[in-house]
Amino acid sequence: MRYDVIVVGAGLAGLVATCELIDANKKVLLVDQEPKNSIGGQAFWSFGGLFLVDSPEQRRLGIKDSKALAWQDWSGTAGFDRLEDEDVMAYEWAKAYVDFAAGEKYSWLQSKGIRFFPVVGWAERGGSLAGGHGNSVPRFHIVWGTGPGLVEPFSNQVLQAASEGKIDYKPRHQVTELITIDGTVSGIRGNILEAATITRGEESSRVVIDHFEYHADAVVVASGGIGANIELVKKNWPSRLGTPPKNMVSGVPAYVDGKMLEITEEIGGRIVNRDRMWHYTEGLKNWNPIWKNHGIRILPGPSSMWFDAVGNRFTAPNFPGFDTLSTLEAIQKTGYDYSWFILTEKIIEKEFALSGSEQNSDLTNKSIKEVLKRVLPGPPAAVQAFKDNGEDFVVADNLKDLVMGMNELVGSELLDFMRIKEQILARDREIENKFSKDAQITAIHGARNYIGDKLIRAAKPHKLLDSKAGPLIAVRLNILTRKTLGGLQTNLNGQVLNEYGEPISGLFAAGEVSGFGGGGVHGYRSLEGTFLGGCLFTGLQVGKFLSK
């Protein structure tokens, strides 16, 4: 059977491309190796944060944003330095994406029925100069309904079209080969896997029951990155971030294995920027895991004190929520693969959120009543569950017992009570005034100048050793794998390029497998809210081009 287009991967990028092709009445085959209930891929598990520029939500909060400011932040964050080669198309995709985020993105999402939580988050705040890394203003827009709410309009359209016979959707179809004829990609071959009745996110069987072969005028690879393939992550680990961690927790299910990258490379697709990746430093071991080695990221406010494994406080810009990869580099250069937050009950109840749709049932279920409970005393329910059950938490009424518990947790005597106490006392003395030479204290005051942070994300400054703010809490932070920033090099139509920079006829890529566009649209660092947005934009661009 021959199709106009075959889409490999039913994650967000693949769904968006397929929806565009449905609207154009194209004959489409969508294949995915996972069961039907996994439609939406990793996007389903996300917090649903999207990077938008000069949105109505920003304006209502008094945030003054612009495309010029967003591009200043993007280019300062990306640090493109391979413009003659690996970054040549990534740079073009970056400019196009900022145009999209400041232009049609908002109205397009609105047309799909997607709405946003009214408070805009401020992620990746930087901590350097105006032209350096980070968001100058809050831009992290949380979809009302989180990841499932973002996926739903596209998955519903695809499933409806499949039920009406307008497209073919085949789960449990694992692609093992891209078919080429005279240098043109003309189809796919692979394995039909046995049916799998599993919970979404669980690792599915790879037992083969049959084989398939399908042909098309074009094939779109939208299969995601390498985040669950720990060995491949370590293989590609950049030396600038120190040695690879010995132990990491996985922020993505097992199917995010990078196999389609290898398959595409075998027929001439060029992978660039392999050494660029995005992993989080605030990972928790999930006390109630869904997939193997399941990790959850803390989305921290600005107030927790951050210490390395031997008890040295990190310096600017390595504060909670400011510069992810700078902190990752600092952690790895200590020779240990974990670090610590020390905070109070007052901080955790206001500043701790957890990434993931399943950790934010109030937002995911669109319950205004439950969302309003976040302003009540005490941590959110999901955070409290980790505090009660998670292996990474230590709680104590005094600092000496806290440090003793931290040492017991890791089975060492690395942390010296007096050394920790001296650093906390030095920090606490800086709280006496509304100004400070301590860069983190200054940042806390700055955060509270933004109404969104003052309301729900930044606790009132207080001394950590104030018994009225207790008990004291320590959290061991693990390295959490997440995103591939490099990938298949593509032009602005999404066509995969070969080693000579020429499009491979019939072959396209979208989403994380393409480095979210061009083989690395983020450069070295992300501004956050740009991963889901990159899936949307690349899927839309490819879908539009193939709909002509």
Side-chain angles (χ1 to χ4, degrees):
M1 186 178 294
R2 189 169 188 87
Y3 295 89
D4 294 323
V5 182
I6 294 172
V7 179
V8 180
L12 184 59
L15 292 178
V16 172
T18 301
C19 287
E20 288 296 304
L21 295 164
I22 291 169
D23 291 341
N25 296 313
K26 296 293 183 180
K27 189 175 182 181
V28 181
L29 169 64
L30 172 62
V31 299
D32 194 282
Q33 70 179 359
E34 297 306 305
K36 184 177 180 180
N37 71 342
S38 289
I39 193 169
Q42 179 58 22
F44 179 92
W45 297 106
S46 73
F47 196 30
L50 290 175
F51 176 94
L52 291 162
V53 179
D54 193 26
S55 70
E57 285 76 14
Q58 286 176 300
R59 293 194 292 270
R60 280 195 289 269
L61 292 166
I63 300 165
K64 296 179 181 179
D65 200 5
S66 67
K67 185 169 72 173
L69 184 61
W71 177 246
Q72 174 180 299
D73 289 347
W74 192 291
S75 56
T77 295
F80 294 118
D81 58 4
R82 302 167 183 174
L83 290 170
E84 300 301 318
D85 186 16
E86 293 184 273
D87 284 339
V88 62
M89 293 311 308
Y91 183 82
E92 296 301 320
W93 271 97
K95 290 193 295 183
Y97 181 73
V98 173
D99 285 345
F100 177 63
E104 69 171 304
K105 184 178 181 181
Y106 190 91
S107 59
W108 176 67
L109 290 169
Q110 290 274 301
S111 74
K112 299 293 184 181
I114 293 166
R115 301 294 183 265
F116 298 99
F117 185 63
V119 179
V120 182
W122 195 357
E124 285 298 298
R125 303 179 190 212
S128 183
L129 301 179
H133 167 67
N135 285 295
S136 298
V137 297
R139 296 192 178 103
F140 192 79
H141 296 68
I142 301 168
V143 171
W144 187 233
T146 66
L150 180 62
V151 167
E152 186 177 35
F154 304 103
S155 61
N156 283 352
Q157 184 178 357
V158 166
L159 293 173
Q160 180 68 25
S163 70
E164 294 173 357
K166 295 179 180 179
I167 68 164
D168 287 337
Y169 169 42
K170 297 184 182 294
R172 304 300 284 155
H173 279 55
Q174 179 191 55
V175 176
T176 59
E177 181 184 354
L178 293 170
I179 302 170
T180 61
I181 300 176
D182 297 328
T184 295
V185 174
S186 61
I188 57 174
R189 292 192 184 100
N191 302 321
I192 301 175
L193 306 177
E194 68 175 356
T197 305
I198 57 171
T199 301
R200 177 192 280 267
E202 289 182 347
E203 190 168 357
S204 63
S205 164
R206 292 293 179 263
V207 174
V208 177
I209 60 172
D210 206 345
H211 305 280
F212 66 83
E213 179 175 321
Y214 296 105
H215 294 266
D217 295 331
V219 174
V220 179
V221 178
S223 54
I226 67 171
N229 190 334
I230 300 296
E231 292 309 310
L232 192 54
V233 168
K234 290 182 178 181
K235 179 181 178 182
N236 291 331
W237 192 268
S239 59
R240 65 180 176 275
L241 295 181
T243 58
K246 293 179 181 178
N247 300 295
M248 291 184 275
V249 291
S250 180
V252 292
Y255 55 74
V256 187
D257 56 18
K259 289 185 178 179
M260 281 304 302
L261 280 162
E262 180 182 354
I263 290 167
T264 307
E265 189 175 29
E266 286 175 353
I267 59 94
R270 187 187 184 206
I271 300 173
V272 295
N273 299 312
R274 296 176 195 263
D275 63 328
R276 294 180 184 170
M277 51 186 67
W278 189 257
H279 307 303
Y280 291 111
T281 50
E282 315 98 331
L284 302 174
K285 296 179 181 178
N286 196 344
W287 66 273
N288 188 24
I290 297 171
W291 54 80
K292 182 181 178 181
N293 196 29
H294 189 174
I296 295 292
R297 184 203 174 195
I298 299 169
L299 300 172
S303 302
S304 299
M305 287 189 74
W306 204 336
F307 295 88
D308 67 19
V310 297
N312 297 310
R313 185 184 177 193
F314 288 116
T315 59
N318 304 320
F319 304 139
F322 279 73
D323 192 331
T324 294
L325 288 197
S326 174
T327 312
L328 177 59
E329 179 182 353
I331 291 169
Q332 288 311 113
K333 288 184 177 178
T334 68
Y336 297 89
D337 51 20
Y338 68 92
S339 59
W340 294 98
F341 277 169
I342 293 181
L343 60 149
T344 65
E345 183 75 12
K346 284 189 176 296
I347 292 173
I348 199 173
E349 71 180 19
K350 193 158 189 176
E351 296 197 5
F352 267 37
L354 300 174
S355 184
S357 55
E358 81 283 11
Q359 300 295 331
N360 296 275
S361 59
D362 51 354
L363 293 166
T364 301
N365 296 329
K366 303 180 182 180
S367 171
I368 295 174
K369 180 180 178 181
E370 292 299 313
V371 168
L372 291 175
K373 290 182 179 179
R374 292 191 178 222
V375 301
L376 298 175
V383 174
Q384 185 64 47
F386 267 86
K387 184 182 169 190
D388 293 340
N389 304 300
E391 66 177 84
D392 295 307
F393 282 75
V394 180
V395 181
D397 291 326
N398 61 76
L399 184 60
K400 189 170 186 178
D401 287 345
L402 187 78
V403 174
M404 186 182 300
M406 295 163 72
N407 280 329
E408 288 176 356
L409 180 60
V410 297
S412 76
E413 296 295 325
L414 288 173
L415 300 174
D416 178 74
F417 161 63
M418 288 305 300
R419 173 66 179 143
I420 297 290
K421 183 177 180 179
E422 287 169 0
Q423 293 175 87
I424 294 178
L425 284 173
R427 179 261 186 208
D428 280 0
R429 293 185 189 106
E430 299 288 321
I431 291 293
E432 299 285 354
N433 297 290
K434 292 184 178 180
F435 48 87
S436 173
K437 74 173 184 181
D438 187 297
Q440 185 176 7
I441 303 301
T442 299
I444 293 168
H445 289 305
R448 286 176 60 83
N449 283 329
Y450 166 49
I451 186 63
D453 276 349
K454 188 172 184 179
L455 286 173
I456 63 173
R457 290 294 287 150
K460 185 177 180 180
H462 61 274
K463 295 182 177 182
L464 294 191
L465 297 184
D466 181 354
S467 60
K468 295 177 182 178
L472 287 167
I473 302 165
V475 186
R476 179 179 57 186
L477 305 172
N478 306 277
I479 307 302
L480 175 78
T481 67
R482 185 75 90 192
K483 295 298 179 186
T484 313
L485 298 189
L488 295 168
Q489 193 170 41
T490 58
N491 63 20
L492 284 175
N493 297 321
Q495 292 174 284
V496 177
L497 307 181
N498 62 21
E499 62 177 319
Y500 304 107
E502 301 164 340
I504 297 174
S505 180
L507 183 60
F508 297 77
E512 190 175 352
V513 75
S514 66
F516 302 92
V521 69
H522 301 94
Y524 285 94
R525 285 179 167 90
S526 166
L527 286 172
E528 289 286 19
T530 54
F531 301 131
L532 293 173
C535 291
L536 294 169
F537 186 51
T538 54
L540 185 63
Q541 289 291 94
V542 170
K544 283 181 176 179
F545 181 77
L546 291 174
S547 294
K548 296 175 182 178

